[in-house]
Structures are given as structure tokens and as C-alpha cells.
Amino acid sequence: MKRILLMIALGLPLSGWSADPLNNSSEGEGGNAATSGSSSKGNDSALRAFLELRSRAVKPGGSTNELNASQTEMVAAHNRWRAQVGVPDIAYSDMLEASAQEWADNLKNTRQCRMQHSPGHLGENLYWAGPWSNGPKQDVSSTQVVNSWSSEKSDYNYADNRCAEGKVCGHYTQVVWKNTTSVGCAVAVCRDNSQVWVCQYKPAGNYVGQKPY
């Protein structure tokens, strides 16, 4: 049986980011979705509960203990793209990972893995992958997720600090944002074998009027 896959990415604009030239799309949250159909942020009980959890889970500064294989792959994938534009390496934060896992689990439990950005002011990239058409979960790697976001490089014009017409590039600019120093990522798998990935960044990137590097 022929197997069909579907993958979607969603990047997080900061408050007021819709005025940024990096935001050219009219679809999705803040114009920065790679596909239509994502929901806007809300203030429902699930979001309030998440904010309470994150206030306990995330503390200033983060932490960078010895990394496991998945964390090592994730930070290496980011740093390969960052090295291409000469910005410093990013470090892995287990506190950001804890926050990302809380939000990924929230999306699993409340939205069946459909993408929606978390509240607050951390930078954030989201990635969704459906199951194969005959049911099994896709094997998605950290490198594949980061490369999906960073493939937007070809749609980013540094001189004008803009995306190509009709394209988005905010996932890429967050990956290579010079002032971002730490990242933490997590994944949740839903009952239908779809999966949602969350990477959160500190300090956040994609500020209005600023270039990523």
C-alpha cells in the first residue's frame, strides 16, 4: 500500500510581530504558519493551567546538564544552521525542554496534537507530522524537524529583512537568531499516531525591526 505523509510547521511571532516584514503570510497564527488551519491563541482553562505549570517549571537561566543522544542531535542541528551565518552556538536547556514538554502534552490532551502556540514570551517553533496513510507513526528525527524549519532560508532576503513574496521564514530566523542562547525541545504523540514537536527559545527572536544576525 502506498504510504502518504504530511508534515506542517508553525513558528511563533512575538507580540506586535505582525508588522514585521518577515511576516508576509495571511494564514495561520500571526501570519507565520506554514499551512492554514491553525487556531489563534485563546485564554481558555487549558492555557491558564499551562501558565501555572510553567511558572513552576521554568526559572531564569535554564540549565545545561550532560545531554542525551536526542538532545545532542537537536542542538547540533540548530548549530549547523547557525554556523552558516556566523552566529554563536546555541546551548541546550533542560528547563526549556520541561516547558516545551508541558506544552506538547497540553496539545496532545486538549487539541489532539493540532498546533497552537503557547502563551508567554519565549520564542517557539512547532512542527506536526501525521501518521503514514496505513496507520503507523512516522519516524521523525530532530535533524529532520530543524531542517524543515531552516529550509526557509532560501525564502529569506537578508538585505531587506523580508520573506519572499507569499512565503514564510520566521522559523528559520528563530533558529539562527544571534541573541538566542538556549533551546529546549519535546514531542508528544497522539492516539492517531500524529505527533507534535515543540522547541522553545530564550531569549526569543523575531523582534520587529531587527535582523536575526
Side-chain angles (χ1 to χ4, degrees):
M1 178 183 296
K2 184 178 180 181
R3 301 197 297 180
I4 302 172
L5 60 88
L6 178 63
M7 294 170 288
I8 301 170
L10 187 63
L12 178 64
L14 296 183
S15 177
W17 199 81
S18 59
D20 197 331
L22 295 182
N23 177 18
N24 288 345
S25 171
S26 62
E27 296 182 332
E29 289 184 39
N32 199 22
T35 185
S36 59
S38 59
S39 301
S40 61
K41 295 180 185 178
N43 294 314
D44 59 17
S45 59
L47 293 183
R48 289 195 297 272
F50 169 74
L51 281 172
E52 182 180 352
L53 285 168
R54 191 166 70 181
S55 71
R56 299 196 297 267
V58 179
K59 299 178 178 62
S63 60
T64 52
N65 299 324
E66 185 175 351
L67 304 183
N68 62 36
S70 177
Q71 294 166 336
T72 298
E73 180 184 356
M74 181 62 78
V75 78
H78 277 81
N79 286 334
R80 279 192 292 272
W81 289 96
R82 293 172 68 85
Q84 291 181 15
V85 294
V87 300
D89 283 355
I90 202 169
Y92 200 85
S93 167
D94 58 357
M95 288 189 177
L96 286 177
E97 180 185 290
S99 174
Q101 190 66 66
E102 292 282 3
W103 189 245
D105 290 343
N106 178 285
L107 295 178
K108 173 183 177 178
N109 295 328
T110 66
R111 293 181 56 80
Q112 293 77 53
C113 288
R114 295 191 304 274
M115 292 187 298
Q116 178 177 315
H117 279 302
S118 63
H121 295 285
L122 292 173
E124 186 171 87
N125 279 342
L126 304 180
Y127 176 98
W128 178 91
W132 292 106
S133 58
N134 59 344
K137 180 178 77 71
Q138 288 190 62
D139 291 326
V140 177
S141 69
S142 300
T143 298
Q144 181 179 343
V145 170
V146 177
N147 286 351
S148 173
W149 296 328
S150 300
S151 66
E152 296 171 357
K153 180 179 183 179
S154 61
D155 296 320
Y156 173 60
N157 185 314
Y158 181 81
D160 296 334
N161 198 30
R162 284 184 174 274
C163 305
E165 184 68 27
K167 302 291 186 178
V168 293
C169 54
H171 310 94
Y172 167 68
T173 54
Q174 174 59 87
V175 168
V176 300
W177 197 265
K178 181 178 181 179
N179 292 334
T180 296
T181 58
S182 56
V183 62
C185 304
V187 60
V189 179
C190 280
R191 198 175 309 176
D192 65 352
N193 281 331
S194 63
Q195 57 192 290
V196 61
W197 291 67
V198 180
C199 279
Q200 294 183 344
Y201 301 85
K202 189 175 181 179
N206 290 346
Y207 279 95
V208 175
Q210 296 184 21
K211 290 186 175 181
Y213 52 87

